[in-house]
Amino acid sequence: MTDRLDHLGIPALINATGTVTRLGASRLDPEVIAAMAAAAQCSVDIAELQAHACKVIAGVTGAEAGIVTAGASAALLVGAAACMTGLDPVKMSQLPDTTGMRNEFVICRSQRNSYDHAVRAAGGRLVEVGLPDRLTGCGVRDTEAWEIAAAIGERTAGILYLARDDSRPELAAVVRVARQANVPVLVDAAAELPPAHNLRRFIEAGADLVAFSGGKSLGGPSASGILCGRRRLVGAALLQQLDLDYVSEDWEPPVALVDKRELPGVPRHGIGRSCKVGKEQIAGLITALLRFVGGSDEERNERHRIVVDSLVEMLTPLRGLRVSKIEDAGHGGLPLVAVTVIVAKGSLSARQLATRLRSRTPSIHVDSTNADIGTLILTPTCLAPVDAQPIAAAFAAELARPLPLHA
Ligand SMILES: *Cc1c(COP(=O)(O)O)cnc(C)c1O
């Protein structure tokens, strides 16, 4: 779909990279768009809307509570804030200054990533432990649970855990250590859907807070996410994200999330006020979430397979490519297309081909993470069946266009 932004004069593109934020994240189902449009046209109490979201999120995740955030990164920010402040409004006002507060988050060195900035933005300090020998090729081990245990002290606010298929130690082992020390585990599961059963998996393993992205495979708005987990922590996170311009007599926070009697007064605007969530995001996320759990991974993969199969069929005859279908790239059986560029004398490299595809009109974006080893990946999650033909035509045209002569 490339024509929808014409009225703004902005060129849309064909996204074979996947639901990445930089390319606009997921493409919304009409039902999600309708929910957002309906919300956009009415006034609604945001806290009440969050209480409704809480019921839905708790139902599908098995968590005590959940809220809609402005993305998984925002969920990590308000979740980390909640781990540091609890329900203390004085501490909430003080962030990101953490003087006198627990502010350390223990993290396995192999799990450090660009998104942990969110925890630091809230005032958290990351305490890295262990060595990722298995990843550097220098050994076989990663951080072990006893190393996490040894790093927990008086200043520890929580453990930050990045959930990936190959994350070590296993979450359950980290939870055991955390329980012993009575500190919460905050899980970044932003990109771990599908499989749909991952909505429950980390909560079942004992995580205290879990962050999911709404704009990836959930099919929600790009600026939406979920934070779910223990009620007190989720409530503390919500308080730091809401607009709280109330005199105390008028303030009735949703009982499903916050017990007003536990607070000495109405907290000031918190650190999460800068990542506020609009009614459109909440309505869109809830609708997308219900659609996601109402469907199945198999059904979604079947739809993706149609696009993948036509891409494979159209790209395979092209000279200079070796095309293969990856039947199950993880994520609940997602199919992909891997295109290896056969480099011959005077032919394009994979990276040059990706660059050329991007500079066409419409621009075509493929996943070039592995371009340096000659492979481009085409991910179907943001593609419609009609996109296969223009993609294949663009590959054909660029492969046929000679390289400029070098001096
Ligand atoms: C995508 C991603 C995020 C950020 O998610 P948003 O919803 O875009 O804020 C955080 N952590 C990981 C591991 C991710 O892949």
Side-chain angles (χ1 to χ4, degrees):
M1 213 70 60
T2 57
D3 55 353
R4 294 290 175 82
L5 290 172
D6 283 356
H7 67 293
L8 295 177
I10 299 165
L13 50 83
I14 296 179
N15 174 10
T17 303
T19 55
V20 295
T21 297
R22 66 180 180 278
L23 297 179
S26 58
R27 285 170 59 182
L28 305 187
D29 184 89
E31 199 188 329
V32 177
I33 297 167
M36 293 179 76
Q41 292 171 65
C42 66
S43 296
V44 59
D45 185 313
I46 294 292
E48 257 176 46
L49 199 51
Q50 286 282 19
H52 177 71
C54 178
K55 234 185 283 168
V56 175
I57 295 167
V60 304
T61 60
E64 290 172 14
I67 53 171
V68 180
T69 63
S73 179
L76 293 174
L77 191 154
V78 291
C83 293
M84 293 187 283
T85 63
L87 286 172
D88 184 340
V90 176
K91 289 179 176 162
M92 290 179 187
S93 290
Q94 194 184 304
L95 288 183
D97 173 1
T98 57
T99 310
M101 295 164 58
R102 289 172 173 261
N103 71 337
E104 292 179 358
F105 287 84
V106 180
I107 183 168
C108 301
R109 190 165 271 110
S110 59
Q111 294 178 19
R112 282 298 315 273
N113 68 87
S114 301
Y115 296 104
D116 61 38
H117 199 142
V119 172
R120 293 184 286 124
R125 195 172 78 77
L126 297 175
V127 175
E128 289 179 27
V129 292
L131 284 175
D133 276 342
R134 71 180 170 113
L135 302 176
T136 54
C138 300
V140 295
R141 292 194 292 166
D142 204 315
T143 302
E144 301 197 334
W146 57 267
E147 293 175 293
I148 297 173
I152 298 175
E154 271 173 14
R155 302 275 292 162
T156 307
I159 297 172
L160 177 61
Y161 186 89
L162 176 70
R164 308 277 304 174
D165 282 346
D166 63 346
S167 292
R168 294 291 178 277
E170 300 273 343
L171 179 58
V174 176
V175 166
R176 273 196 296 278
V177 165
R179 288 272 164 84
Q180 242 157 25
N182 198 26
V183 296
V185 179
L186 169 59
V187 175
D188 178 354
E192 297 313 291
L193 300 172
H197 69 77
N198 275 0
L199 278 168
R200 292 180 173 274
R201 182 173 140 210
F202 311 110
I203 292 291
E204 271 169 10
D208 298 278
L209 285 173
V210 183
F212 292 107
S213 196
K216 292 180 178 164
S217 297
L218 264 185
S222 177
S224 73
I226 292 173
L227 180 69
C228 61
R230 297 205 187 281
R231 178 173 169 273
R232 273 179 71 90
L233 287 171
V234 174
L238 177 68
L239 288 176
Q240 294 178 82
Q241 170 181 296
L242 284 176
D243 170 9
L244 292 179
D245 252 338
Y246 288 101
V247 293
S248 63
E249 295 87 332
D250 292 346
W251 188 48
E252 291 300 338
V255 288
L257 282 152
V258 178
D259 183 350
K260 193 179 165 180
R261 291 167 306 182
E262 288 193 68
L263 291 142
V266 188
R268 304 272 169 198
H269 288 339
I271 192 147
R273 180 62 182 79
S274 309
C275 27
K276 77 167 174 189
V277 184
K279 55 192 189 279
E280 303 83 1
Q281 274 74 39
I282 303 174
L285 189 280
I286 299 172
T287 309
L289 179 60
L290 289 171
R291 278 184 57 80
F292 184 79
V293 297
S296 71
D297 295 340
E298 293 70 35
E299 181 192 309
R300 282 184 282 271
N301 291 334
E302 203 43 57
R303 245 179 299 130
H304 294 323
R305 208 164 286 126
I306 295 170
V307 181
V308 163
D309 286 344
S310 22
L311 281 170
V312 169
E313 191 189 315
M314 292 179 199
L315 291 172
T316 300
L318 300 183
R319 262 185 50 183
L321 299 181
R322 196 165 50 238
V323 180
S324 46
K325 176 175 169 183
I326 300 169
E327 289 285 351
D328 178 356
H331 289 286
L334 178 73
L336 300 175
V337 186
V339 177
T340 303
V341 178
I342 301 163
V343 180
K345 195 165 176 294
S347 74
L348 287 171
S349 70
R351 193 165 294 284
Q352 285 169 323
L353 179 55
T355 304
R356 282 186 169 196
L357 292 169
R358 243 187 351 260
S359 51
R360 291 174 65 87
T361 307
S363 178
I364 295 171
H365 291 242
V366 300
D367 179 349
S368 55
T369 312
N370 294 316
D372 291 341
I373 56 168
T375 300
L376 304 176
I377 302 288
L378 280 70
T379 306
T381 41
C382 291
L383 296 175
V386 297
D387 293 324
Q389 199 281 327
I391 292 174
F395 267 88
E398 295 305 336
L399 286 165
R401 202 155 61 84
L403 277 174
L405 288 175
H406 293 291

